[in-house]
Amino acid sequence: MPIKCENVTKSFGQVQALKGVSITFEEGKIYGLLGRNGAGKSTLLNILTGRIFADSGSVTVDGEPAIENDRAQSKIFLMSEKTLHPDAMKVREAFRWAKAFYPDFDEDYAMNLAGDFALNTGAKIAGLSTGYHSIFKLILALSVNVPYVLLDEPILGLDANHRELFYKRLLEKYAEEPFAVVLSTHLIEEVASLVEDVVIIKEGQVLRQESRDSLLSQGYTVSGGAAAVETYIQGRSVLGVDSLGGLRTAYVLGQPDKSAGSAQDLEFGPMDLQKLFIQLTNS
Amino acid sequence: MKTKASLRYQLRDQRNAILVYYSVITLMVVLSLVFMPFSPADSYFSISSGGITAVTGMFAGVLSLCTFKDCFLLSLQHGVSRKSHFLARLGSLGLVCAIMAVGDEIYTLILKLLEHIFPGRFFASSLYEMIYCSDYMELSSGTYRSIQTTTTTILLSVVFSFFFLLAICSFTYLVSVLNFRLNKVGKIIFWVSWPALFVLLDAFLVAHPQFANSLVPVLTRLASMTISTLPRLCLTCLAASAVFCGITWLLMRRAHAK
């Protein structure tokens, strides 16, 4: 049973943040929620968790209305960019209260994760650095044990080591018992190998919702000498071209034509999610 | 389940402040006892505490002003619906007022006990006794005769304090929710307009004394109708609390994370 939102619209004054968004997030899948700044990703996640209200449309969790419904909301956990915990609360207190609200919250696992990330559990939340703020929220999200975990910019301010550790722990947790993870991020390259389905939002509308493989199979990369690549891409739908010295890589929509005369000295590879995203969302 | 957890959190959020408040007023009594032997034998030295609930009312009002935002946002973080949060708030409001009403009475009784041990040195009466018990009186400046404390008086004092605190806490909580809902411009208009309104009203009454003369009897009669007896006061406070809580719910049900 999924989280389902249908025809959700939301405006902030003159700005229409969401325009009839319909999305389904199924249990046991990792989603990449992608969109440019102001596309409506955070607004959508906040509506799913009842933090803000949609102007119209409906949201259901496992078939029951999600808005103002404790039972439905107890299946979702949103780690948003903004921390909603009181400034004076300590990290370990936050873990204890999370257990009070989510009975399946694994306090021991949270404390172990805090140890892995070197997070001081005696520190006040307000005193944490940007990176440790993110780590604190990530630990909550990984320990909460609910069917749907929504992560809004989860790796904000995290260094490479901590990002690596987070991906590792996330995959371990997911392998133990699959749950739905929605990763809303701008670091597409990093999550590209993690996500199974991709949702692309552009200007408040869902541009694509399909599996990563299906999305990437719509294009390919072709690399080689500048002249050969230029000849090959003539008359084809090209998303973009990268140049490095005399070498070129072109991102092309469609299926590779290895039999073409100009293809002999070229290398073909899979499409890059970030390149595809950039092309799809460029106005 | 979430209502219970939210109630627990809201009570926990107010617990420390209440403990500090009662510790401070108890400490003042302890300090009085400590310094009593050092007072000159011929000097007049007495400690009187009349109507501690009036002070508790101010404290409870400020406490309620400070409880909304943190608790509400934490509830949203943990998927608690506004309805559950509001129900938990009603529960915590009732419990906190009951605890403080009992706390005030215990404080008053402790002072009354000291009055028996050190006659003439301590004097205590509850706000209920001061307002509604006719045999409480001031004999002369600084000397009092307190009423006979009975179980009924104690119970009525607690009832009085409970409803009195309930009305105050519901009102200040409403103010804090309203403040949360208002945007920046709304806040400025709201908080500037109230004092401005009072200044204008004052100027109007000075300019039109005949209006003031007719207003005072109306207000006196209104006060007599609403608070002249304990049952009337309880009903008034309860009605006021219901109205304040009703408006609070209307404001809270569409509030969102900021």
Side-chain angles (χ1 to χ4, degrees):
Chain A
M1 295 288 268
I3 295 181
K4 215 171 188 174
C5 64
E6 283 174 348
N7 291 318
V8 170
T9 60
K10 177 71 184 173
S11 297
F12 296 102
Q14 299 294 310
V15 181
Q16 201 170 357
L18 295 178
K19 303 168 186 165
V21 168
S22 297
I23 300 184
T24 301
F25 294 117
E26 284 167 10
E27 238 182 289
K29 266 188 179 180
I30 300 180
Y31 291 87
L33 181 61
L34 312 177
R36 298 185 66 184
N37 292 326
K41 305 182 298 294
S42 298
T43 304
L44 176 68
L45 296 179
N46 281 325
I47 286 173
L48 294 181
T49 47
R51 293 186 187 183
I52 59 173
F53 293 101
D55 297 335
S56 63
S58 69
V59 181
T60 57
V61 177
D62 296 347
E64 61 181 337
I67 307 307
E68 289 297 275
N69 182 342
D70 288 346
R71 196 168 52 184
Q73 287 299 330
S74 63
K75 297 173 186 170
I76 311 176
F77 186 87
L78 168 62
M79 189 217 111
S80 56
E81 273 185 83
K82 190 174 171 1
T83 307
L84 298 185
H85 290 80
D87 288 347
M89 188 178 265
K90 288 181 177 172
V91 171
R92 77 165 79 87
E93 281 180 293
F95 291 166
R96 211 164 38 239
W97 282 110
K99 174 80 181 165
F101 286 97
Y102 294 95
D104 290 332
F105 183 87
D106 191 339
E107 245 182 301
D108 293 336
Y109 180 73
M111 293 303 275
N112 285 339
L113 272 186
D116 292 348
F117 281 99
L119 170 66
N120 177 10
T121 55
K124 285 186 177 173
I125 295 167
L128 298 174
S129 65
T130 309
Y132 272 104
H133 245 114
S134 294
I135 288 170
F136 158 68
K137 291 185 285 181
L138 284 175
I139 292 173
L140 280 177
L142 288 176
S143 311
V144 78
N145 292 319
V146 293
Y148 306 97
V149 174
L150 317 178
L151 305 171
D152 192 6
E153 289 298 345
I155 44 182
L156 193 74
L158 259 64
D159 60 36
N161 309 49
H162 280 150
R163 291 205 301 271
E164 191 68 28
L165 183 59
F166 160 61
Y167 296 134
K168 194 177 161 195
R169 292 285 180 267
L170 175 67
L171 288 177
E172 279 171 10
K173 191 88 184 163
Y174 184 76
E176 243 174 60
E177 195 181 339
F179 55 103
V181 183
V182 179
L183 283 163
S184 167
T185 180
H186 292 296
L187 296 176
I188 300 167
E189 278 179 341
E190 285 201 8
V191 299
S193 59
L194 227 70
V195 299
E196 295 168 78
D197 273 29
V198 177
V199 179
I200 299 177
I201 297 187
K202 183 184 177 186
E203 293 166 2
Q205 287 176 307
V206 177
L207 206 60
R208 296 285 173 90
Q209 175 170 20
E210 55 189 294
S211 74
R212 183 197 58 190
D213 294 342
S214 150
L215 192 67
L216 294 181
S217 68
Q218 292 169 15
Y220 59 96
T221 60
V222 54
S223 313
V229 170
E230 279 300 323
T231 311
Y232 177 81
I233 62 175
Q234 288 296 318
R236 297 181 198 274
S237 183
V238 180
L239 294 178
V241 179
D242 287 340
S243 300
L244 183 65
L247 291 173
R248 283 204 181 167
T249 301
Y251 303 91
V252 188
L253 283 178
Q255 297 304 314
D257 181 9
K258 291 177 184 172
S259 61
S262 55
Q264 284 168 353
D265 300 325
L266 298 174
E267 271 187 34
F268 293 87
M271 174 56 86
D272 180 74
L273 184 61
Q274 181 153 296
K275 283 285 173 192
L276 186 64
F277 168 81
I278 290 169
Q279 184 58 29
L280 288 171
T281 54
N282 263 342
S283 334
Chain B
M1 191 223 43
K2 295 233 173 183
T3 309
K4 199 178 156 192
S6 183
L7 172 65
R8 271 181 55 207
Y9 180 75
Q10 291 188 39
L11 287 174
R12 174 68 182 77
D13 188 48
Q14 297 173 74
R15 190 188 70 182
N16 286 357
I18 294 170
L19 285 175
V20 167
Y21 170 71
Y22 282 107
S23 302
V24 168
I25 60 171
T26 309
L27 196 68
M28 284 164 73
V29 176
V30 172
L31 282 176
S32 307
L33 281 170
V34 168
F35 285 109
M36 204 164 64
F38 301 105
S39 66
D42 56 339
S43 75
Y44 179 75
F45 176 88
S46 75
I47 293 125
S48 61
S49 168
I52 187 68
T53 305
V55 181
T56 306
M58 280 190 269
F59 164 75
V62 175
L63 182 66
S64 269
L65 267 180
C66 304
T67 50
F68 173 68
K69 193 180 174 188
D70 281 356
C71 291
F72 179 68
L73 292 181
L74 193 90
S75 286
L76 288 185
Q77 173 64 58
H78 293 103
V80 182
S81 66
R82 286 152 187 83
K83 190 180 166 188
S84 297
H85 179 82
F86 180 70
L87 289 175
R89 167 60 196 170
L90 291 183
S92 72
L93 173 71
L95 279 169
V96 164
C97 290
I99 289 165
M100 288 199 287
V102 172
D104 280 2
E105 194 50 32
I106 291 172
Y107 173 79
T108 307
L109 287 173
I110 290 171
L111 281 183
K112 282 188 175 185
L113 184 71
L114 290 173
E115 191 182 347
H116 281 289
I117 301 168
F118 307 101
R121 292 285 192 172
F122 282 90
F123 170 80
S125 64
S126 65
L127 192 59
Y128 164 74
E129 288 167 344
M130 292 178 78
I131 297 174
Y132 294 107
C133 297
S134 55
D135 52 349
Y136 161 82
M137 58 184 290
E138 187 175 351
L139 295 174
S140 62
S141 178
T143 57
Y144 302 89
R145 188 190 79 194
S146 56
I147 66 156
Q148 200 65 36
T149 302
T150 63
T151 313
T152 314
T153 323
I154 292 169
L155 282 175
L156 292 179
S157 285
V158 172
V159 169
F160 166 85
S161 301
F162 173 76
F163 283 103
F164 176 72
L165 295 173
L166 194 71
I168 291 175
C169 290
S170 339
F171 175 69
T172 52
Y173 193 72
L174 165 63
V175 172
S176 70
V177 177
L178 177 67
N179 200 48
F180 183 80
R181 286 298 308 270
L182 291 172
N183 59 22
K184 201 182 279 181
V185 177
K187 276 178 194 162
I188 292 168
I189 292 171
F190 180 77
W191 289 108
V192 169
S193 63
W194 273 109
L197 211 64
F198 278 111
V199 170
L200 285 174
L201 183 70
D202 184 52
F204 178 79
L205 291 176
V206 169
H208 302 86
Q210 72 280 11
F211 186 77
N213 291 341
S214 57
L215 188 68
V216 171
V218 173
L219 291 176
T220 312
R221 186 175 291 180
L222 192 69
S224 165
M225 279 167 62
T226 52
I227 59 170
S228 58
T229 63
L230 180 63
R232 281 184 180 189
L233 177 115
C234 291
L235 278 175
T236 304
C237 287
L238 193 65
S241 302
V243 171
F244 296 147
C245 289
I247 302 170
T248 300
W249 167 241
L250 292 176
L251 289 170
M252 195 195 286
R253 62 196 284 266
R254 300 297 290 177
H256 46 73
K258 281 184 180 176

